[in-house]
């Protein structure tokens, strides 16, 4: 069996600017989705990444060969859940299970923190967004199921140009730590 080519670990402060570049490069995948042609891309700010790092909610996937980040995720507590704010993997490293492993890292952290669930918002019809998260155990929330934090987050997304009709909020309950 070949050695693993990547690993998940906590991010380092020195990597924050690189994570912005990874996010930009990962987002080039959306150019293949005609329905999103007019939807503005909004990048995570270095301040938000630094705050998540300080709280221990920022992880990278790093290449085993040189320990360089090739993907990342960060999360924040929101309502009764840990909310995935961002998740990105470099296209050259895509479809090897790295995104899935990053999500499972957030799930483990939510459970360890005693939070009930992991939530996220994403595009309803993009194959690597909602349909993919369904395979990871997430379900689409009805509007009446959104907590107040998620309601505000969805409204803020719409204000910055992400049409609600293209978006869904999703949740995976995590169960207690054993
Ligand atoms: C979402 C993202 C992080 C997934 O990273 P990844 O490492 O490729 O994820 P995984 O390998 O664990 O799983 C990818 C799954 O997405 C789906 N998928 C990805 N690209 C796809 C495509 N072009 N067509 C159809 N399905 C696709 C498949 O279900 C795939 O699983 P499979 O390869 O076993 O069929 C990555 O696609 C990305 O950075 N996208 C741009 C930013 C983004 O959408 N972020 C999430 C916002 S909520």
């Amino acid at each position: 069996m070949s050695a693993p080519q990547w690993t998940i670990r906590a991010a380092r402060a020195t990597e924050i600017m690189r994570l912005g570049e990874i996010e930009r490069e990962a987002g080039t995948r959306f150019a293949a989705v005609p329905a999103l042609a007019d939807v503005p891309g909004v990048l995570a700010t270095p301040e938000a990444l630094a705050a998540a790092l300080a709280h221990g909610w920022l992880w990278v996937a790093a290449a085993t060969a040189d320990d360089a980040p090739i993907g990342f995720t960060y999360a924040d507590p929101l309502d009764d859940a840990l909310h995935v704010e961002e998740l990105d993997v470099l296209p050259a490293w895509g479809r090897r299970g790295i995104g899935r492993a990053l999500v499972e890292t957030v799930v483990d952290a939510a459970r360890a923190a005693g939070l009930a669930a992991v939530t996220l918002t994403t595009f309803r019809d993009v194959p690597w967004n909602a349909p993919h998260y369904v395979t990871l155990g997430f379900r689409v929330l009805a509007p009446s199921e959104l907590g107040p934090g998620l309601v505000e987050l969805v409204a803020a997304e719409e204000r910055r140009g992400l049409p609600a009709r293209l978006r869904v909020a999703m949740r995976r309950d995590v169960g207690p730590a054993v």
Side-chain angles (χ1 to χ4, degrees):
M1 211 169 88
S2 60
Q5 300 199 318
W6 50 271
T7 186
I8 308 278
R9 60 165 171 77
R12 304 184 186 118
T14 50
E15 293 170 334
I16 282 180
M17 298 318 281
R18 175 63 187 141
L19 301 188
E21 293 167 7
I22 291 174
E23 183 180 359
R24 210 177 342 262
E25 203 173 320
T28 59
R29 287 178 177 88
F30 291 118
V33 185
L36 303 185
D38 296 328
V39 174
V42 181
L43 297 178
T45 63
E47 292 77 18
L49 293 171
L53 182 138
H55 289 103
W57 304 125
L58 174 62
W59 299 270
V60 297
T64 313
D66 59 2
D67 200 34
I70 53 177
F72 74 99
T73 189
Y74 84 97
D76 280 317
L78 186 72
D79 301 322
D80 64 344
L82 194 55
H83 184 80
V84 179
E85 299 281 359
E86 194 54 61
L87 173 69
D88 293 285
V89 172
L90 287 173
W93 287 85
R95 305 197 74 167
R96 301 188 199 190
I98 298 173
R100 189 173 309 129
L102 286 164
V103 169
E104 293 304 331
T105 301
V106 178
V107 167
D108 289 347
R111 190 180 290 119
L115 294 162
V118 171
T119 55
L120 55 84
T121 58
T122 195
F123 288 110
R124 181 190 300 275
D125 295 321
V126 173
W128 53 90
N129 284 172
H132 171 53
Y133 295 123
V134 167
T135 72
L136 302 185
F138 287 79
R139 68 182 179 87
V140 173
L141 293 174
S144 62
E145 295 181 286
L146 272 57
L150 209 40
V151 167
E152 173 48 34
L153 189 141
V154 169
E157 283 189 348
E158 190 153 27
R159 285 197 295 274
R160 57 170 219 244
L162 289 176
R165 70 191 151 77
L166 300 179
R167 303 286 289 172
V168 283
M170 305 185 77
R171 176 182 177 102
R172 172 172 156 187
D173 293 327
V174 301
V178 286

